[in-house]
Amino acid sequence: MSETRIDRRFAALKKEGRAGLVAYVMAGDPDLETSFEIFRGLPGAGVDVIELGMCFTDPMADGPTIQVAGQRALRAGMTLRKTLDLVRRFRKEDNDTPIVLMGYYNPIYAYGNEVFLADAREAGLDGLIIVDLPPEEDSELCLPTVKAGLNWIRLATPTTDAKRLPAVLANTSGFLYYVSITGITGSASADAGVVAKAVERLRAKSDLPVAVGFGIRTPEQAADIARVADAAVVGSAFCQTVADSLDEKGRAKPDCVANVLALARALGDGVRGARA
Amino acid sequence: MEAVNTYRSGPDEQGHFGMFGGRYVAETLMPLILELEEAWHAARRDPAFQAELDHWARHYIGRPSPLYYAERLTQHLGGAKVYLKRDELNHTGAHKINNTVGQILLALRMGKKRIIAETGAGQHGVATATVCAKVGLPCVVYMGETDIARQAPNVFRMKLLGAEVRPVTSGSRTLKDAMNEALRDWVTNVDSTFYIIGTAAGPHPYPELVREFQSIIGRETREQMMEAEGALPDALVACIGGGSNAIGLFHPFLDDPSVAIYGVEAAGHGIESGQHAASIAGGRPGVLHGNRTYLLQDDDGQITEAHSISAGLDYPGIGPEHAWLADSGRVKYVSATDKEALEAFQLCTRMEGIIPALEPAHALAYVTKLAPTMDKDKTIVMNMCGRGDKDVFTVAEALGVSL
């Protein structure tokens, strides 16, 4: 598989001697245009890799904050097709920042796997994180994704034991996403010391960069993770900031985009200062 | 569709029934699912486990349930002889207990200390709370707010049994959302918790193990029909939500080509209205709750809300084995509307002195169409999978009676 934007970004981070900031935002939340303004503003606010959430009616691994963000996007008429349109628009002005789609399988399956992969590649997408496709179902979408030249990014969790780790690492590329807790998104964060040990365990078996997520909300927590991992992933905190920036009718207030980007800047500073 | 020698060999090792089934779960759950599969395979080969299951079936559930000849109903319909498999006489009033007994014994074998479940109509929640009370394990039942409102008696029963009923306020606030919430709990409490799924759906091995625990219905029916009629039935009819009572009745007969098999989905206000719970008639294949099956969904793959007067059938999917049996043509899937089910509910109550649950009332609605088309020397077995005590408020409201 040839080098992707994700590979290049993590190589650059390594050269800089710092960890990266991965931001998860829900595509289409709270509406298409506000969501695009957030999306395009993230790289300038210090985000190194963007995870774009695909809304789904039944997000079984997500906590309330991301559930509600997905419902806002659905109510605003978001679809997978429109999500790919956002990626296309983004690529017109930024050809370097890696974009990973994250979500559940059914919307892709309904789109048609082959057609989706062709459209995703053409739109300028770099990788996929599909929560409900474990290695046991690799023939479904993982192998076609790798064949299409996109990164398949897998989640490793505290329940991924030594026996299972090789299966999780197989066919994974770009980076490995370590879920620091057993639980749903937006839960309490894990202790950095415990995370450090888990990351060491993964690094012993893989050369892939390790990003750590679930439960990271503040610049301090992001800095703690940045000291032990290759990237810190923040999701629910961004979705919560959107939620806090809506008027009583659920519309974006004028400072919605600025609030989200301010959080990105603070988190980015935390990550950048971590190893100083 | 390729020809098969047997319809009873599924699922394969990966948990697939043809293209359906599978294990579409988050990585956190995958090791647990594999552990469960291992424990299940060991248990089903263990004579001690089988003996314990048999003991509970006989002394706690009250099995075998009778096979009852519904004489007046038969005369009224004027065709095939109608038999009812009386699983509504089980302890807790439905077939659900067959499965919860099996799963609690499995949970005990695995050393689990806490039980969670989802429920729609509340029957599975009650059956789970019941076995938890019997073995002394804490039990949390997730139930959609909408269902809590329409199934108040079952909510109180669960609480009396010592279970904690957690209202689910996300999504459509019904069974599918309760299942999402149970999965979120499971992902959070992986070490201690056993998830007792209530229907023959979810990630492998659930569809298989639930089917095996429910197949006692079909196995008894075979014996009882041989005793009563000296022959296998000509037709089987059962209602389908997730489809556990139906697969339990059907599975032992799948390789008997003389037995016609009908699964009855809930057509709600009518398939054409879009307000129904008929995943096969009105859905298409998709992936939800750990398996690929027929799902109610829009063009974007978003799951749409099901509707049925029966809370137990109000689910936008169906067990994967049913999806496969539908595509293979072995089982014919039909549907009955809210109105037809209500009529059948009243007919059965008046003619046989049996108040059926609204779920099997759907099956009965189809029996009232099927029986008159068959000769009088033919037989139909319908699964009376639950009793209607829990539904009297819903029925009163639908009939415009205030209690």
Side-chain angles (χ1 to χ4, degrees):
Chain A
M1 173 168 188
S2 54
E3 202 185 52
T4 65
R5 288 187 192 91
I6 299 175
D7 300 330
R8 283 196 290 275
R9 178 57 49 99
F10 275 101
L13 288 168
K14 198 170 178 182
K15 227 170 164 182
E16 279 183 54
R18 68 169 177 98
L21 172 64
V22 181
Y24 170 102
V25 291
M26 179 64 73
D29 173 35
D31 62 77
L32 191 68
E33 288 312 313
T34 306
S35 156
F36 181 65
E37 290 306 316
I38 291 171
F39 185 25
R40 71 192 294 207
L42 290 172
V47 170
D48 299 296
V49 177
I50 298 171
E51 284 179 17
L52 203 51
M54 303 184 278
C55 53
F56 184 49
T57 41
D58 295 82
M60 63 177 185
D62 283 305
T65 308
I66 292 182
Q67 286 175 41
V68 174
Q71 282 167 14
R72 283 194 300 266
L74 284 168
R75 264 200 308 276
M78 203 56 190
T79 62
L80 183 50
R81 228 163 266 283
K82 290 182 188 169
T83 302
L84 290 181
D85 284 342
L86 283 184
V87 176
R88 250 177 233 117
R89 287 170 67 188
F90 180 95
R91 278 284 171 251
K92 283 184 185 152
E93 47 193 68
D94 183 330
N95 200 29
D96 300 316
T97 306
I99 305 170
V100 176
L101 276 196
M102 181 166 181
Y104 299 83
Y105 180 39
N106 200 54
I108 294 176
Y109 183 66
Y111 196 110
N113 290 356
E114 291 303 321
V115 188
F116 168 77
L117 287 172
D119 288 359
R121 217 188 127 87
E122 170 269 317
L125 189 77
D126 303 294
L128 290 175
I129 303 176
I130 307 300
V131 178
D132 52 355
L133 283 176
E136 280 71 9
E137 304 291 349
D138 266 2
S139 58
E140 191 87 32
L141 184 63
C142 167
L143 298 180
T145 298
V146 174
K147 209 175 143 204
L150 300 179
N151 289 124
W152 184 263
I153 294 137
R154 198 105 69 186
L155 304 175
T157 73
T159 62
T160 310
D161 55 17
K163 193 174 127 202
R164 198 168 160 71
L165 188 54
V168 169
L169 293 173
N171 302 320
T172 300
S173 61
F175 64 93
L176 189 62
Y177 185 148
Y178 182 66
V179 175
S180 60
I181 48 149
T182 57
I184 51 181
T185 54
S187 315
S189 60
D191 176 73
V194 177
V195 172
K197 285 201 187 84
V199 171
E200 282 317 305
R201 193 164 58 87
L202 297 174
R203 280 184 177 151
K205 299 286 177 197
S206 167
D207 295 331
L208 286 172
V210 179
V212 174
F214 281 42
I216 304 169
R217 295 173 168 280
T218 65
E220 294 71 30
Q221 288 170 327
D224 284 346
I225 295 299
R227 275 186 271 275
V228 300
D230 299 298
V233 189
V234 179
S236 293
F238 283 109
C239 295
Q240 188 59 50
T241 303
V242 172
D244 293 340
S245 308
L246 303 175
D247 67 18
E248 62 284 352
K249 286 185 175 162
R251 292 172 306 206
K253 287 195 220 166
D255 60 356
C256 181
V257 175
N259 290 345
V260 174
L261 298 183
L263 174 67
R265 236 169 251 119
L267 290 163
D269 289 347
V271 165
R272 281 171 178 78
R275 295 188 200 161
Chain B
M1 182 54 57
E2 59 191 289
V4 286
N5 297 322
T6 174
Y7 290 97
R8 304 184 64 218
S9 61
D12 67 17
E13 277 183 23
Q14 301 299 312
H16 294 113
F17 301 90
M19 68 176 281
F20 299 104
R23 288 178 285 209
Y24 299 87
V25 297
E27 172 60 26
T28 312
L29 290 181
M30 210 46 229
L32 279 83
I33 302 262
L34 295 173
E35 186 197 0
L36 172 63
E37 187 183 349
E38 205 172 300
W40 155 241
H41 285 305
R44 71 188 300 192
R45 283 191 303 267
D46 181 356
F49 182 78
Q50 285 305 324
E52 205 171 2
L53 208 52
D54 292 346
H55 182 86
W56 281 57
R58 187 175 172 82
H59 299 283
Y60 193 65
I61 302 177
R63 303 208 73 93
S65 67
L67 183 72
Y68 165 78
Y69 172 43
E71 197 172 356
R72 288 192 69 215
L73 196 60
T74 298
Q75 282 164 4
H76 173 76
L77 296 173
K81 288 175 80 169
V82 177
Y83 282 88
L84 304 178
K85 178 61 174 164
R86 302 285 306 274
D87 255 52
E88 100 281 13
L89 293 177
N90 293 341
H91 180 40
T92 72
H95 69 289
K96 293 290 187 187
I97 190 95
N98 300 327
N99 169 46
T100 59
V101 162
Q103 288 199 49
I104 199 81
L105 292 176
L106 207 48
L108 292 173
R109 267 178 87 99
M110 294 175 74
K112 298 294 181 180
K113 301 289 182 219
R114 174 177 178 267
I115 302 296
I116 57 170
E118 85 295 339
T119 198
Q123 292 302 102
H124 174 60
V126 167
T128 304
T130 297
V131 295
C132 287
K134 179 167 158 55
V135 302
L137 283 184
C139 175
V140 173
V141 179
Y142 290 93
M143 189 169 186
E145 256 189 352
T146 306
D147 291 335
I148 285 179
R150 59 180 169 175
Q151 300 288 342
N154 271 345
V155 174
F156 186 55
R157 286 167 81 194
M158 285 184 268
K159 288 180 179 167
L160 285 173
L161 289 159
E164 182 195 341
V165 180
R166 289 196 190 159
V168 176
T169 56
S170 57
S172 59
R173 306 176 182 203
T174 59
L175 181 54
K176 85 172 170 77
D177 310 285
M179 202 153 175
N180 289 334
E181 214 52 45
L183 285 165
R184 290 179 188 124
D185 180 313
W186 202 23
V187 122
T188 309
N189 300 290
V190 287
D191 291 330
S192 64
T193 299
F194 189 100
Y195 179 16
I196 298 189
I197 292 185
T199 193
H204 177 65
Y206 281 104
E208 179 188 45
L209 69 88
V210 174
R211 177 194 77 201
E212 289 303 302
F213 293 139
Q214 291 294 359
S215 287
I216 192 164
I217 301 171
R219 291 196 302 271
E220 286 176 5
T221 299
R222 271 185 95 91
E223 278 181 30
Q224 290 166 323
M225 275 304 282
M226 291 308 289
E227 203 173 299
E229 295 281 338
L232 294 180
D234 296 294
L236 300 174
V237 182
C239 63
I240 313 259
S244 71
N245 91 83
I247 201 70
L249 176 65
F250 298 168
H251 195 259
F253 293 95
L254 290 176
D255 285 339
D256 298 292
S258 69
V259 182
I261 305 181
Y262 302 91
V264 186
E265 295 191 294
H269 297 313
I271 304 288
E272 66 292 342
S273 74
Q275 291 181 298
H276 60 81
S279 319
I280 288 179
R284 58 198 161 81
V287 172
L288 179 71
H289 294 152
N291 59 159
R292 190 199 326 268
T293 189
Y294 279 93
L295 297 174
L296 301 181
Q297 56 184 316
D298 67 14
D299 290 342
D300 191 44
Q302 305 296 340
I303 307 305
T304 53
E305 289 178 21
H307 165 81
S308 171
I309 189 171
S310 146
L313 303 181
D314 202 347
Y315 179 69
I318 185 166
E321 194 164 10
H322 286 294
W324 176 72
L325 289 168
D327 276 12
S328 70
R330 175 61 187 99
V331 176
K332 193 169 179 219
Y333 292 86
V334 295
S335 62
T337 62
D338 287 356
K339 188 167 168 282
E340 290 169 327
L342 271 172
E343 282 163 9
F345 176 98
Q346 295 171 82
L347 183 72
C348 184
T349 304
R350 295 265 177 88
M351 286 264 161
E352 296 294 345
I354 296 171
I355 302 180
L358 281 169
E359 291 81 11
H362 285 73
L364 193 64
Y366 187 69
V367 168
T368 64
K369 291 181 191 169
L370 179 67
T373 68
M374 294 168 67
D375 292 338
K376 288 186 175 174
D377 61 345
K378 301 289 185 187
T379 56
I380 299 174
V381 174
M382 189 207 102
N383 198 10
M384 182 58 77
C385 62
R387 60 178 174 238
D389 311 40
K390 70 181 173 63
D391 291 319
V392 292
F393 294 102
T394 306
V395 171
E397 197 188 322
L399 297 177
V401 179
S402 58
L403 298 180

